Amino acid sequence: MNFVCFNPTILFYLILISTFIPVDQVDAQTNRSPAMSSTSPSIIRLTDVSRESGVTWVHNTGGSGQAYIVEGVSAGVATFDYNNDGLIDIYLLNGRPLKGTAPSTLSNALYRNNGDFTFTDVTAEAGVSGEGYGLGVVTADYDGDGDMDIYLNNYGPNVLYRNNGDRTFTNVTAEAGVDNGNKVGAGASFFDADGDGDLDLFVGNYIDFTYENHVEILRAGKRFSAGPQYYRPVADTLYRNDGNGRFTDVSKESNITSAIGPSMGMVAADFDDDGDIDVFVCNDGEPNFLWQNDGKGRFEEVGLLSGVALDFEGHENSNMGVDIGDYDQDGLVDLITTNFQAELPVLRRNLGAGIFEDVTAAARIPITLTPHVNWGTGFVDFDNDGDRDIYIACGHFDPVELMDDSTAQKVRDVVLENIGRRYRDVSSTCGSGLEIVQSSRGACFEDLDNDGDVDVVVLNSDAKPSILRNDTPAVNQWCQIELRQPGMNAHAVGAKVTVKYANKLQRFDVIAGRGYQGHFGSRISFGFPKDITQATAEVRWPDGGVQWFELNIGKLNKLDRRP
């Protein structure tokens, strides 16, 4: 999150790279002609329904004009079914009054989905108004009772809310032992680190910031946020789930304190397909981490060796958010990371065995993203055509237009349509949802109205959130999957699902924690052509067991593990 004015040299270099990409080579892989793939109109339509949704909550950074670093990075958002009624609900994180700000009551917000694309504020009833300055959030069923719990990664002590199963939550932070001290939070992930069947907790920590060590940056007579390079990074934390409602800090024993960086977004998945869960961590202005798991909960940092630490040019980026998805349909999970101004988002293709290559230029990630700061992101099949499009939330945290007329604090978000292993920017034709001009942060992607396509929730800094309904014409098929299994990991976090149809495949992983310091996608949503009448799901359960299921197309498939 270094403050950088737009660099014309970087723009020139990116144009140069883009100019000399072998287009015929890319099109040979996709079986699409350049003319057809780049000029055919997109059918993706996202409609702004924020006002009629009933979501009236407003995010507040709690700032007093001092430009504290925590103001710019707030906050993530989570979507999940908190009351098990089959509808995806929304949980929004808020800031709190910072030093020098007049006291006020600021609260996180839980909105219950009413099923008709309206939402009801149930924060007080549920007991999840939050404590501390909200930055990151993840949801999962850590105690194996069948409902989703909430973990908040704050500036200040963290919070664990246990779901009581009656539409209320209880703050169990103290008894669980996961407050993580007085740190600046980032992303967080639940996953089974040691293969014992329950969900452990990886907590990202950003930098060592206090009011006393605040660095003041003055430019053009205005205060700007100091970047993370002005502060010391803080080691991340790994908590082992003891299976009795308590967690034990195993950060040192697991070796994750052996490398320290300013963490932002993260995602936990089996990147090398060896049967255990690894962790990718975005670092802000320093090389990314890939923590490779030995299967017993001890990790080795292999980011540089795996090709995810730096970009194609060998530079570290100011990485913000991350998502995984099989963008090229080869059965391996790829990575998209968002970055700071004067840096492109980076698309990394998984070559197998946990080795990645930067294919940003080859995939035509557009250089129009370069001037802006990019935050929340997701691989999403908006048009249900069987491949993963990309959504990128954009916006600066400073009044950057005072220094640089190539961007602004508030800008539009971006939709990139997958046209066969490469992307094109279709934001200008996507409808009113992409006409919103805000400073966006976290973003989530879920089917909010159960109509078979994926909608969007965006948390905007110091503003109301954006609620975007997917109104893309239903010219393709769709299917959805939810997994359940016995034991402490009831929602099968860490499972791998491969959907097969007509000699094609799509790979999905069940993960808890993704995007920009948030959570979405516990329910798998995907699409395929209209003429497909049969599809099969191969489910590789977290313990390695494999089962096959015939899918009901056009429906939510609840797949329970068979004896």
Side-chain angles (χ1 to χ4, degrees):
M1 198 183 71
N2 307 331
F3 181 85
V4 180
C5 291
F6 186 66
N7 188 332
T9 302
I10 294 177
L11 175 59
F12 172 79
Y13 187 67
L14 290 169
I15 293 173
L16 193 65
I17 292 175
S18 179
T19 302
F20 289 98
I21 295 300
V23 177
D24 55 342
Q25 190 174 52
V26 176
D27 291 324
Q29 295 175 327
T30 63
N31 287 325
R32 301 180 189 222
S33 71
M36 289 179 60
S37 62
S38 61
T39 63
S40 55
S42 173
I43 65 171
I44 297 173
R45 296 293 181 273
L46 298 175
T47 303
D48 179 10
V49 294
S50 307
R51 180 172 297 182
E52 50 265 51
S53 71
V55 178
T56 58
W57 172 92
V58 179
H59 176 263
N60 193 319
T61 58
S64 61
Q66 298 301 313
Y68 296 123
I69 190 171
V70 295
E71 297 175 39
V73 297
S74 177
V77 57
T79 46
F80 67 110
D81 184 0
Y82 90 99
N83 56 357
N84 285 332
D85 66 351
L87 299 167
I88 303 296
D89 310 297
I90 303 171
Y91 188 65
L92 300 149
L93 268 59
N94 216 344
R96 294 297 187 275
L98 297 170
K99 184 179 179 181
T101 306
S104 62
T105 302
L106 298 178
S107 171
N108 299 348
L110 177 63
Y111 277 90
R112 186 186 69 226
N113 190 335
N114 300 321
D116 57 358
F117 234 100
T118 67
F119 299 82
T120 299
D121 188 340
V122 294
T123 312
E125 169 193 327
V128 290
S129 60
E131 300 173 24
Y133 192 101
L135 293 173
V137 58
V138 61
T139 72
D141 181 12
Y142 82 92
D143 54 0
D145 62 354
D147 46 41
M148 299 286 277
D149 312 297
I150 304 173
Y151 186 76
L152 306 179
N153 198 3
N154 294 325
Y155 168 42
N158 293 347
V159 175
L160 177 62
Y161 286 117
R162 186 188 66 215
N163 193 326
N164 300 319
D166 59 1
R167 299 191 176 190
T168 69
F169 291 78
T170 298
N171 185 337
V172 296
T173 312
E175 63 188 77
V178 291
D179 72 356
N180 201 39
N182 192 18
K183 298 183 176 70
V184 179
S189 293
F190 278 106
F191 66 102
D192 186 0
D194 50 9
D196 65 352
D198 54 28
L199 296 180
D200 309 297
L201 175 61
F202 195 109
V203 181
N205 301 312
Y206 189 37
I207 44 89
D208 179 17
F209 166 77
T210 66
Y211 293 125
E212 289 71 28
N213 69 6
H214 167 58
V215 176
E216 188 175 78
I217 303 291
L218 290 174
R219 287 179 176 155
K222 298 287 185 180
R223 289 188 177 93
F224 287 78
S225 296
Q229 72 271 25
Y230 290 93
Y231 304 94
R232 291 185 296 111
V234 177
D236 293 335
T237 308
L238 179 62
Y239 289 106
R240 184 189 66 223
N241 190 333
D242 296 330
N244 57 1
R246 289 196 56 81
F247 290 78
T248 298
D249 186 339
V250 293
S251 305
K252 290 184 179 180
E253 298 95 308
S254 65
N255 197 45
I256 69 160
T257 59
S258 62
I260 301 175
S263 298
M264 295 290 268
M266 67 175 59
V267 62
D270 186 1
F271 292 104
D272 52 6
D273 280 326
D274 65 350
D276 50 43
I277 305 299
D278 315 298
V279 184
F280 175 87
V281 180
C282 289
N283 282 322
D284 188 0
E286 296 186 15
N288 298 321
F289 293 155
L290 180 57
W291 291 106
Q292 188 178 67
N293 195 338
D294 70 353
K296 299 178 181 178
R298 184 171 173 82
F299 295 83
E300 179 184 0
E301 204 291 292
V302 296
L304 188 61
L305 294 174
S306 65
V308 300
L310 308 171
D311 66 14
F312 175 78
E313 300 174 50
H315 296 155
E316 65 270 14
N317 299 129
S318 297
N319 299 273
M320 305 296 191
V322 58
D323 195 24
I324 64 168
D326 183 8
Y327 92 97
D328 54 357
Q329 296 179 269
D330 65 352
L332 301 171
V333 289
D334 310 301
L335 282 164
I336 179 73
T337 55
T338 54
N339 295 312
F340 194 68
Q341 184 184 11
E343 301 171 345
L344 272 177
V346 178
L347 177 63
R348 293 179 173 90
R349 180 171 178 254
N350 193 334
L351 302 177
I355 305 298
F356 292 78
E357 66 172 340
D358 183 344
V359 293
T360 306
R364 295 290 204 275
I365 302 300
I367 60 173
T368 50
L369 282 159
T370 309
H372 311 308
V373 183
N374 310 137
W375 302 85
T377 189
F379 281 112
V380 192
D381 186 1
F382 285 117
D383 49 5
N384 280 338
D385 65 348
D387 53 31
R388 307 287 191 96
D389 312 304
I390 297 174
Y391 189 101
I392 297 177
C394 304
H396 217 290
F397 44 84
D398 284 325
V400 65
E401 52 268 40
L402 297 176
M403 303 290 296
D404 180 359
D405 61 6
S406 70
T407 188
Q409 186 171 9
K410 297 181 180 181
V411 295
R412 296 182 180 186
D413 293 347
V414 173
V415 172
L416 305 179
E417 182 184 14
N418 189 329
I419 53 174
R421 292 196 181 187
R422 65 180 189 178
Y423 287 88
R424 61 174 180 172
D425 185 346
V426 296
S427 310
S428 62
T429 64
C430 279
S432 60
L434 272 295
E435 296 173 0
I436 298 171
V437 178
Q438 288 290 351
S439 182
S440 301
R441 296 296 183 270
C444 290
F445 311 95
E446 303 276 8
D447 183 1
L448 296 174
D449 51 358
N450 288 350
D451 67 346
D453 52 35
V454 179
D455 311 295
V456 183
V457 178
V458 181
L459 185 144
N460 299 312
S461 179
D462 284 324
K464 292 181 180 179
S466 302
I467 313 296
L468 312 182
R469 185 182 64 219
N470 192 337
D471 289 332
T472 302
V475 298
N476 294 311
Q477 299 275 23
W478 64 274
C479 205
Q480 295 176 351
I481 293 174
E482 285 184 355
L483 300 183
R484 293 293 184 272
Q485 66 174 7
M488 289 284 287
N489 184 8
H491 291 77
V493 174
K496 306 170 193 174
V497 179
T498 303
V499 176
K500 300 180 180 181
Y501 59 94
N503 296 320
K504 295 185 178 180
L505 62 84
Q506 297 183 44
R507 158 84 177 267
F508 304 88
D509 289 36
V510 181
I511 56 180
R514 69 199 310 176
Y516 177 68
Q517 302 184 172
H519 173 93
F520 59 88
S522 298
R523 177 187 297 171
I524 295 169
S525 296
F526 56 96
F528 36 80
K530 197 73 173 181
D531 58 352
I532 299 299
T533 60
Q534 187 176 18
T536 302
E538 176 192 283
V539 179
R540 188 169 297 274
W541 298 96
D543 66 359
V546 180
Q547 294 179 329
W548 289 263
F549 299 85
E550 292 297 321
L551 298 176
N552 293 312
I553 295 174
K555 294 183 179 180
L556 169 62
N557 292 256
K558 296 186 177 182
L559 307 183
D560 293 315
R561 186 163 191 175
R562 299 164 182 157

